[in-house]
Amino acid sequence: MFTERRGAPRYEISRIGQMTADNMKYPIDCIVRNISTSGALLVVSAPQAIPSHFRLSIAGSVHQRACEVKRRAADSLGVQFLDGSSASG
């Protein structure tokens, strides 16, 4: 049986996001599939190429979120937010 380990409930969304980091030459686009106050699920074309720490901008939000990759899959990243901003931006 599956046990939920997340500390905050996640909400399904479908927004365009952009990942940036000091060691990235260009921003990388993603789709934010779900989000909570503590993290998000991002769909990306090459998750293995994304650094472990980056900043995430979400369409419709004025804030950038500092992120740490917690899980990598074939087409997605599970990230934890490292700052105290709200998930809704």
Side-chain angles (χ1 to χ4, degrees), residues 29-47:
D29 292 334
C30 64
I31 298 172
V32 183
R33 285 289 179 211
N34 66 44
I35 195 166
S36 73
T37 56
S38 61
L41 177 67
L42 311 177
V43 176
V44 296
S45 59

Side-chain angles (χ1 to χ4, degrees), residues 19 42-51 69 71-77:
M19 298 173 283
L42 311 177
V43 176
V44 296
S45 59
Q48 302 307 324
I50 307 300
V69 176
R71 184 184 64 82
R72 292 180 195 266
D75 66 347
S76 64
L77 297 171

Side-chain angles (χ1 to χ4, degrees), residues 10 32 34-42 56 58 65-68 70 79-87:
R10 293 211 174 189
V32 183
N34 66 44
I35 195 166
S36 73
T37 56
S38 61
L41 177 67
L42 311 177
L56 175 66
I58 301 172
R65 304 298 307 266
C67 298
E68 179 179 7
K70 292 296 187 176
V79 301
Q80 178 180 8
F81 295 138
L82 300 177
D83 53 33
S85 300
S86 69

Side-chain angles (χ1 to χ4, degrees), residues 19-28 49-51 53-54:
M19 298 173 283
T20 58
D22 292 339
N23 60 346
M24 293 169 59
K25 190 171 184 176
Y26 302 105
I28 297 176
I50 307 300
H53 291 86
F54 60 88

